[in-house]
Amino acid sequence: MEQYINRKYIIGGIILLVGLVFTVRLFLLQVVNSTYKLSAESNTRRMEIVYPARGLIYDRNGQLIAHNLPSYDLKIAPYELEAFDSAEFCEILQIDIQTLREGIKRVINNQNERFNPFIKQLSSETFGKLKEKQFKFPGFYFSIRTLREYDREIASHLLGYVGEVDSGIILNNPYYELADYIGVSGIEYSYEEHLKGEKGRKYKLIDVHGREQGSYKDGRFDTDAKPGSNITITIDADLQEYGEKLMRNYVGSIVAIEPGTGEILTLVSAPSYNPSLLVGREREENYNKLKNDTLEPLFNHSIQALYPPGSTFKTVNALIALQEEVISNRTTYNCIRGYYARGVSVACHSHPSPLDLLHSIQYSCNAYFCNVYRKIMEDPDFESVEKAYNNWREHLRSFGFAEPLGIDLPYEKGGFIPKSDYYDRYYGQNRWKALTIISMAIGQGEVLTTPLQLANFAAIISNKGYYFTPHIVRGIEGIDSINSAFAVPHVVSIDSSYFNVVIDGMDMAVNVSGGTATWVRHRDITICGKTGTAENPHGEDHSVFMAFAPKDDPQIAISVYVEHGKWGSSYAAPIASLMIEKYLTDTIAPYHKWIEKRMLERNLLNVQ
Amino acid sequence: MRRQIDIMANIDWLTVFLFLLLVAFGWINIFAVNYDPDASSFFHLENRYTMQLAWILISLIVVVFIFIIDSRFYLFVAYPAYAFGILLLLVVFLIGTAVHSSKSWIVLGPVSIQPAEFAKVAVILAIAKYLSGYNVKITRFKDIFVSLFIIFFPAGLIALQPDIGSTIVYGVLLLVLYREGLPGWVLIVILAMAGLFLGILVLSQFLIVLILSGLAIVAFTIVSKKPSSFFLAVLISISVASAFVLLNHYGYLDLDNYIILLSTVGIASAIAVIYAVVKKNKVIYLVVLALLLAIGYTYTVDHLFNNFLKEHQRNRVNVMLGLESDPYGYEYNVRQSKIAIGSGGFSGKGFLQGTQTKFRFVPEQSTDFIFCTVGEEWGFLGSFGLVVLYVGLLIRLIVLAERQRSRFSRIYGYGVLSILFFHFAINIGMTIGLLPVIGIPLPFLSYGGSSLFAFTIMLFVFIRLDSTRKAYLI
Ligand SMILES: [Zn+2]
């Protein structure tokens, strides 16, 4: 071991050598070289982030909906700060000296804070004043960013809004830094990747007086910002605006879909709000106001509200019964103003009796569909009600009920169709029968759907058995095709031939006297529709209507919910009819003006 | 009672005195950086200097405990401490908190600890225990391997956090192995691997393989002892490569340049092996083997780096190597650091008079760049004094280590002084612009509880071992 003892001199020698090198270097740096003593090394480098403009948003007809406006943030470069006239500075910005001190301290104590503006979104007036005197305040500089401005103050729910990133996002995504903007909801969120663009960086040389002296190393390290891609959405801005106008005194939703493509023409959630409220300095404050509003304007009824589908659901039960061959077009049932069987009673209104399937849809007979539902559940092809029920549920799933449809908007709800074990838990296994769940026959009870699912259902009927996933974005600049998931038809589990009788029944409901919504018929457009009433245990029932038109060449499928509107025919049907008319003819016929006037004048906002 | 007196008498008070000087000087400078005339109260834990004072006091209490514990305890606890250190490093992965995108802190309520700091003590204990074991010889392959594993396993875990600064600190423990008789060629191989590692990150794989092949040809020439074989090797390599290029050109093959190079190396190696068989020159096998291993190593490192590390971890390494523009502004910091130190002049601006360090240059001011304040406020006299203090402490530790009768104590002593030396060299080298920026603290001076505790424990365990050097031969 002693053979290595001399290695201690080598190790000691290395240590002494390092000490010597440091001493020489320090001597040169501190004593010999005087350049460091003067602050001759006066040019400093400053990294500035160049923010991209977000992609623009156009409607289906090429109308601009959202663009960008420049906005100025005031930032601090801590290394460049020098003594300045803080009184004058505070006066220009109209802040107190305490705010100024805290702001500077914040930036100095935290490296990351330099991304964070000292004051965000200066008014253009303040910006002008300060810009003029910027030379007096070394260490302060402006960062130009853009904020959304809306050309049409519509569609706030589906456009969504832009906010600042939080620390979770910064940690998980290396692109984002403190104070960056990011889409928080709507398509601003779903298409953030395309809309955001790419930030750039510029390195600038700054002299001792805080003046820019050009770019650092001829811009070798600079990168340009790339603006976000423009997006065309499927919405018809005029129709959307008209829908929002019709709904301004109601709580509820309108969803209109182009059946041949799944493109959403209108997505109204009422009450709505002006999208400009969630932009700029007042965003936070306005957001809290909207959030605390008891009418919940931030809630997107069209894809998040769960309502019973009411009588509109009878049509799907008719289709399933036909497919399972438990009834035929010629099957008739009596209605003695309701359906009564072993402890179950479901009331009906006055209409001719007996009815066949076609007329039962026209008159929306409850008794008829209770019989149909019982037939489905007690189908001898299945060993038990449970099996028949599961089969029925599978049919519904093929219509896009029970699960989110997959629209390109965040937070879509999927509705609710209970699984059989739900009833097992509630009543006990084999303890429930067709009569136990008979209210599903007429779309009441446990079943819940979103307005979007109902509009999609209308589209399926108009297509006689298939649909495209409803979506909001039609095209993205620079990308040839949209998401292929939106181009594949989903075929439902019902043969297309069975749809004719349902379509005829919906035609008669609107266009043949005795139908449930004949007062909203249009002389030139054959609207096929089905009214509904969604039971509301908390107050007045909701008015529901689903429809499509024209009958022979469907261009639009629609669902309308008006909360507390009671009968489908009283609010939802006229609003749907006006929307269809507006979309197909671009105007409202003179003989319908009174309907429009009535819808605009009535007000159900304060009904419970 | 008698034993207590013995301990007090046998403590190396010079080392303790140097330690106290460094800690006190560090605190004065932390005070200067963070002193704010507007601030309310001294006794406010928001103030870094108050926090640091608290940590210093707690460290001194810890020192008392270190002296109370029997020195044989440290030998006994070496392996358990090592296992516990590894466990902590694993725990960091699970519940660690990220700072600057490196997951290296465990936060327990108000206290944050950095396991990498404490792991150093455990690793030194473990390596000392292993090397002092009966019948362990650092010249034997197995013992070299185990020693390297003890050192680099925790280092690897820390590299994954990723905390590159703390990782390379472990490399300095090779100095300990060197003192204990590690053969020089092992050191060369390890340094070559480290160099190659950096080379891979900086240069392209193609270039690396090309350089390695060149080195192999030179080695081959030296080994075969004939200058003419150099031209022969070059000629063969070029002809093989040309053949591939021609085949490519006329469409018989479709290989990219990198594959052509690898194929050429393969064929040339085969020819070299045949040559070795004919000439019965065994050293040529070694050259070929070394070349192939080096290329394999290159490939592995590149693959791991690109597939195993996440993007932000890669970026961090790249920034550290100067391959990417510098989002944290380290380059800028170093310039400001040099300006601050230079502006101190010969005798400094005086206590609390530093302006450069006050508002200009901030982020790691009281931690990794504390030496700036020393330079600015205390001038050349102060910074030179600090260098002298440090070198004095390190040399004193060599003397102490060499006077140990037990191998365990000596090796432990060298471990402590190597770590302290590395931190000293890298940290000050960085602030005066001699070395790249690697964020590691200056022991005893930098702000921070974890590092102060860890270095204090590390040092005083050695002083404790030294105090009983005559009593036991542990
Ligand atoms: Zn009836």
Side-chain angles (χ1 to χ4, degrees):
Chain A
M1 188 199 304
E2 282 306 296
Q3 64 187 2
Y4 300 118
I5 193 152
N6 286 336
R7 287 188 172 181
K8 75 178 179 190
Y9 296 114
I10 296 179
I11 295 172
I14 296 173
I15 293 172
L16 283 174
L17 184 69
V18 167
L20 189 68
V21 169
F22 284 180
T23 304
V24 171
R25 172 73 173 185
L26 285 167
F27 190 75
L28 291 175
L29 209 59
Q30 296 186 295
V31 182
V32 177
N33 189 339
S34 58
T35 54
Y36 287 112
K37 262 185 277 183
L38 315 170
S39 59
E41 280 263 352
S42 50
N43 280 338
T44 59
R45 195 185 69 171
R46 178 207 289 162
M47 190 269 285
E48 290 181 10
I49 298 171
V50 190
Y51 292 97
R54 276 181 94 75
L56 308 179
I57 301 175
Y58 294 94
D59 91 332
R60 65 187 293 115
N61 301 315
Q63 287 194 47
L64 190 58
I65 295 182
H67 67 273
N68 304 293
L69 265 191
S71 108
Y72 299 93
D73 289 350
L74 184 62
K75 291 194 173 180
I76 299 177
Y79 315 130
E80 297 158 22
L81 281 176
E82 273 175 16
F84 61 95
D85 184 345
S86 53
E88 186 182 5
F89 186 80
C90 288
E91 203 194 306
I92 295 175
L93 285 174
Q94 305 200 321
I95 53 174
D96 56 33
I97 191 100
Q98 198 54 31
T99 315
L100 174 62
R101 271 196 196 165
E102 276 162 17
I104 293 179
K105 216 175 215 168
R106 206 179 59 219
V107 176
I108 281 173
N109 288 328
N110 185 347
Q111 171 91 344
N112 290 325
E113 283 286 340
R114 66 182 164 150
F115 295 117
N116 219 356
F118 171 57
I119 294 183
K120 288 172 192 168
Q121 297 156 20
L122 294 176
S123 70
S124 56
E125 188 192 354
T126 313
F127 167 69
K129 271 194 216 160
L130 196 60
K131 179 85 192 162
E132 219 167 83
K133 297 187 174 165
Q134 199 186 353
F135 66 94
K136 288 186 176 175
F137 310 115
F140 290 90
Y141 67 99
F142 297 104
S143 161
I144 306 172
R145 310 178 72 170
T146 59
L147 293 176
R148 278 290 191 219
E149 190 175 59
Y150 297 95
D151 302 84
R152 307 283 299 257
E153 293 181 336
I154 53 168
S156 46
H157 294 99
L158 70 96
L159 293 176
Y161 63 97
V162 176
E164 273 182 26
V165 292
D166 60 32
S167 57
I169 298 169
I170 298 174
L171 273 181
N172 291 319
N173 189 328
Y175 174 82
Y176 294 103
E177 291 155 321
L178 207 64
D180 275 0
Y181 292 154
I182 188 169
V184 179
S185 69
I187 59 168
E188 299 276 19
Y189 172 88
S190 330
Y191 290 89
E192 164 75 8
E193 208 43 52
H194 302 284
L195 288 169
K196 75 173 169 31
E198 290 284 336
K199 283 178 293 185
R201 292 177 189 279
K202 281 207 172 11
Y203 294 88
K204 289 181 175 167
L205 284 175
I206 309 294
D207 72 9
V208 273
H209 307 295
R211 284 182 300 234
E212 288 177 15
Q213 299 290 321
S215 55
Y216 174 71
K217 292 203 175 163
D218 298 327
R220 186 140 55 93
F221 297 108
D222 294 0
T223 50
D224 288 330
K226 284 192 209 99
S229 310
N230 299 340
I231 282 187
T232 301
I233 58 177
T234 60
I235 298 296
D236 181 317
D238 296 332
L239 190 65
Q240 176 80 21
E241 189 170 63
Y242 185 61
E244 289 184 14
K245 193 169 124 192
L246 287 173
M247 290 295 286
R248 69 185 175 192
N249 293 330
Y250 309 105
V251 174
S253 151
I254 304 176
V255 180
I257 298 176
E258 187 177 68
T261 57
E263 293 181 357
I264 293 176
L265 302 170
T266 294
L267 194 78
V268 175
S269 174
S272 185
Y273 59 92
N274 184 338
S276 313
L277 287 176
L278 296 186
V279 174
R281 293 230 280 191
E282 279 84 40
R283 185 170 66 80
E284 202 95 358
E285 195 185 319
N286 289 332
Y287 181 84
N288 287 328
K289 265 189 214 155
L290 290 171
K291 204 177 161 179
N292 295 326
D293 189 330
T294 50
L295 289 173
E296 298 184 64
L298 290 173
F299 182 67
N300 188 350
H301 291 79
S302 50
I303 60 170
Q304 293 180 306
L306 300 179
Y307 300 107
S311 297
T312 58
F313 208 57
K314 289 171 182 167
T315 50
V316 78
N317 281 329
L319 290 166
I320 295 170
L322 289 170
Q323 179 72 26
E324 295 294 333
E325 296 177 342
V326 293
I327 62 163
S328 77
N329 289 354
R330 286 183 300 280
T331 307
T332 59
Y333 290 106
N334 277 319
C335 175
I336 40 172
R337 304 201 89 186
Y339 176 80
Y340 305 96
R342 267 181 291 169
V344 173
S345 71
V346 178
C348 192
H349 55 100
S350 140
H351 58 75
S353 174
L355 294 175
D356 63 6
L357 178 58
L358 180 69
H359 291 89
S360 73
I361 294 173
Q362 180 194 3
Y363 292 111
S364 194
C365 174
N366 287 345
Y368 191 95
F369 283 95
C370 289
N371 282 303
V372 167
Y373 195 65
R374 204 169 161 186
K375 278 275 188 190
I376 300 173
M377 290 301 141
E378 292 171 358
D379 185 348
D381 290 353
F382 295 95
E383 300 160 22
S384 63
V385 173
E386 186 182 347
K387 295 250 164 74
Y389 179 87
N390 287 336
N391 180 61
W392 174 78
R393 191 173 186 277
E394 278 311 302
H395 281 301
L396 290 180
R397 270 164 42 88
S398 80
F399 282 81
F401 291 120
E403 277 152 35
L405 283 164
I407 188 178
D408 45 353
L409 286 178
Y411 321 121
E412 185 201 354
K413 288 277 194 310
F416 184 63
I417 314 283
K419 291 184 182 163
S420 56
D421 58 8
Y422 175 92
Y423 293 110
D424 289 345
R425 274 199 308 273
Y426 201 83
Y427 298 106
Q429 203 150 10
N430 299 322
R431 300 285 301 275
W432 52 280
K433 297 184 285 290
L435 284 176
T436 324
I437 55 171
I438 199 72
S439 55
M440 308 273 263
I442 56 169
Q444 311 292 1
E446 291 79 15
V447 56
L448 296 171
T449 57
T450 64
L452 177 70
Q453 284 172 324
L454 204 62
N456 189 53
F457 178 42
I460 294 171
I461 297 174
S462 74
N463 287 336
K464 297 186 183 176
Y466 66 90
Y467 70 94
F468 293 93
T469 303
H471 54 277
I472 291 286
V473 165
R474 208 175 190 213
I476 300 169
E477 181 194 29
I479 294 180
D480 291 339
S481 56
I482 57 159
N483 192 340
S484 59
F486 299 142
V488 192
H490 301 274
V491 180
V492 302
S493 57
I494 309 293
D495 296 346
S496 63
S497 58
Y498 291 127
F499 282 87
N500 292 322
V501 61
V502 169
I503 291 172
D504 290 339
M506 287 170 68
D507 174 1
M508 288 163 70
V510 179
N511 298 301
V512 174
S513 112
T516 51
T518 47
W519 73 285
V520 302
R521 75 178 288 264
H522 190 275
R523 287 174 196 165
D524 306 318
I525 306 167
T526 312
I527 298 173
C528 301
K530 182 74 199 75
T531 54
T533 294
E535 279 182 1
N536 174 18
H538 309 296
E540 192 66 86
D541 292 344
H542 307 319
S543 168
V544 191
F545 194 68
M546 72 162 182
F548 64 88
K551 185 183 180 188
D552 300 323
D553 176 23
Q555 299 295 311
I556 177 170
I558 191 166
S559 79
V560 177
Y561 270 89
V562 175
E563 288 195 6
H564 315 304
K566 202 163 185 188
W567 308 113
S569 61
S570 46
Y571 291 94
I575 288 173
S577 165
L578 290 169
M579 289 293 287
I580 290 172
E581 183 177 0
K582 179 81 176 172
Y583 181 64
L584 295 177
T585 67
D586 229 12
T587 176
I588 299 298
Y591 65 87
H592 268 172
K593 281 285 182 193
W594 70 276
I595 298 180
E596 184 185 44
K597 187 161 173 272
R598 187 156 153 186
M599 288 303 116
L600 290 173
E601 279 172 358
R602 293 212 171 164
N603 187 325
L604 293 179
L605 283 181
N606 298 314
V607 179
Q608 282 305 307
Chain B
M1 199 57 213
R2 212 184 105 66
R3 195 168 143 262
Q4 287 296 72
I5 294 166
D6 271 1
I7 292 173
M8 293 304 276
N10 286 316
I11 287 176
D12 188 64
W13 289 105
L14 176 58
T15 311
V16 175
F17 176 67
L18 290 171
F19 161 80
L20 289 174
L21 271 183
L22 288 170
V23 169
F25 193 50
W27 185 81
I28 287 172
N29 285 292
I30 291 169
F31 181 82
V33 172
N34 296 290
Y35 176 68
D36 180 353
D38 297 343
S40 45
S41 164
F42 182 92
F43 295 102
H44 211 278
L45 286 181
E46 266 174 25
N47 292 329
R48 285 193 153 188
Y49 47 82
T50 314
M51 274 305 274
Q52 183 75 356
L53 194 60
W55 279 323
I56 291 172
L57 293 176
I58 299 171
S59 307
L60 292 180
I61 294 170
V62 171
V63 164
V64 172
F65 278 102
I66 291 173
F67 278 124
I68 290 173
I69 296 169
D70 191 294
S71 61
R72 282 169 297 186
F73 171 77
Y74 301 109
L75 178 70
F76 167 74
V77 86
Y79 288 156
Y82 184 77
F84 184 67
I86 299 286
L87 187 72
L88 274 186
L89 290 175
L90 290 173
V91 166
V92 160
F93 274 118
L94 300 178
I95 60 162
T97 304
V99 172
H100 288 306
S101 79
S102 153
K103 224 179 168 187
S104 52
W105 293 82
I106 295 180
V107 178
L108 298 168
V111 189
S112 316
I113 61 167
Q114 218 178 348
E117 295 293 342
F118 293 98
K120 285 173 197 161
V121 186
V123 171
I124 303 174
L125 282 171
I127 194 78
K129 173 144 185 178
Y130 180 74
L131 288 178
S132 60
Y134 177 70
N135 208 14
V136 173
K137 285 204 176 66
I138 192 65
T139 47
R140 277 199 316 220
F141 179 75
K142 177 191 154 243
D143 295 334
I144 292 178
F145 181 80
V146 174
S147 309
L148 291 180
F149 181 83
I150 290 174
I151 294 173
F152 288 107
F153 180 58
L157 288 179
I158 294 167
L160 293 175
Q161 288 177 357
D163 180 352
I164 305 301
S166 295
T167 307
I168 54 182
V169 170
Y170 285 83
V172 79
L173 291 176
L174 291 173
L175 216 54
V176 178
L177 303 188
Y178 174 74
R179 167 61 187 85
E180 291 306 306
L182 182 74
W185 68 266
V186 179
L187 214 54
I188 290 173
V189 168
I190 292 171
L191 290 178
M193 277 173 74
L196 194 55
F197 182 86
L198 291 180
I200 292 158
L201 301 184
V202 179
L203 305 172
S204 73
Q205 278 211 47
F206 182 84
L207 209 56
I208 292 275
V209 174
L210 204 62
I211 292 169
L212 288 173
S213 312
L215 288 174
I217 290 177
V218 171
F220 173 76
T221 311
I222 294 168
V223 166
S224 67
K225 295 184 183 112
K226 273 189 285 184
S228 61
S229 59
F230 176 76
F231 298 103
L232 189 67
V234 170
L235 194 69
I236 290 174
S237 305
I238 289 179
S239 343
V240 175
S242 314
F244 276 117
V245 171
L246 284 176
L247 286 173
N248 236 8
H249 183 76
Y250 289 107
Y252 295 103
L253 289 173
D254 183 22
L255 304 174
D256 67 30
N257 289 339
Y258 182 58
I259 302 293
I260 291 181
L261 180 64
L262 285 183
S263 313
T264 309
V265 169
I267 292 174
S269 301
I271 295 172
V273 169
I274 294 166
Y275 178 85
V277 172
V278 173
K279 295 279 176 182
K280 296 196 172 84
N281 186 338
K282 283 186 184 165
V283 193
I284 292 178
Y285 294 135
L286 273 182
V287 173
V288 172
L289 187 68
L291 175 64
L292 297 183
L293 281 179
I295 291 174
Y297 173 77
T298 307
Y299 180 77
T300 314
V301 169
D302 196 65
H303 185 78
L304 287 180
F305 187 73
N306 285 316
N307 296 317
F308 199 58
L309 292 187
K310 295 207 181 88
E311 192 186 346
H312 71 270
Q313 296 172 325
R314 272 206 302 279
N315 287 344
R316 234 176 100 75
V317 176
N318 283 337
V319 165
M320 205 160 271
L321 294 170
L323 294 180
E324 239 159 60
S325 66
D326 189 11
Y328 296 106
Y330 277 128
E331 179 203 314
Y332 184 88
N333 291 0
V334 169
R335 247 163 63 114
Q336 292 298 321
S337 159
K338 276 156 68 183
I339 292 173
I341 293 171
S343 71
F346 182 72
S347 54
K349 295 177 183 168
F351 182 50
L352 294 183
Q353 302 305 308
T355 54
Q356 293 287 321
T357 54
K358 197 77 196 160
F359 279 120
R360 301 249 147 188
F361 167 74
V362 181
E364 316 289 342
Q365 187 63 49
S366 33
T367 54
D368 296 347
F369 282 87
I370 191 71
F371 189 73
C372 291
T373 313
V374 178
E376 186 179 11
E377 297 198 346
W378 304 86
F380 177 71
L381 286 181
S383 45
F384 174 66
L386 183 64
V387 169
V388 169
L389 267 184
Y390 239 104
V391 170
L393 174 68
L394 293 169
I395 298 293
R396 180 68 192 159
L397 288 177
I398 293 183
V399 172
L400 295 194
E402 290 293 343
R403 78 182 183 189
Q404 302 304 312
R405 286 194 291 166
S406 108
R407 272 190 85 187
F408 174 77
S409 301
R410 182 182 72 216
I411 297 167
Y412 181 81
Y414 266 100
V416 173
L417 78 91
S418 306
I419 298 270
L420 291 180
F421 167 62
F422 189 78
H423 275 262
F424 162 75
I426 297 288
N427 181 286
I428 295 185
M430 151 183 102
T431 53
I432 58 181
L434 288 177
L435 293 171
V437 173
I438 295 165
I440 56 175
L442 187 57
F444 311 125
L445 281 93
S446 286
Y447 170 81
S450 282
S451 93
L452 181 65
F453 284 168
F455 288 121
T456 305
I457 293 170
M458 195 186 283
L459 179 66
F460 276 85
V461 166
F462 181 54
I463 296 177
R464 181 72 182 94
L465 291 171
D466 175 67
S467 69
T468 49
R469 67 189 181 278
K470 292 169 188 157
Y472 319 115
L473 189 67
I474 52 175

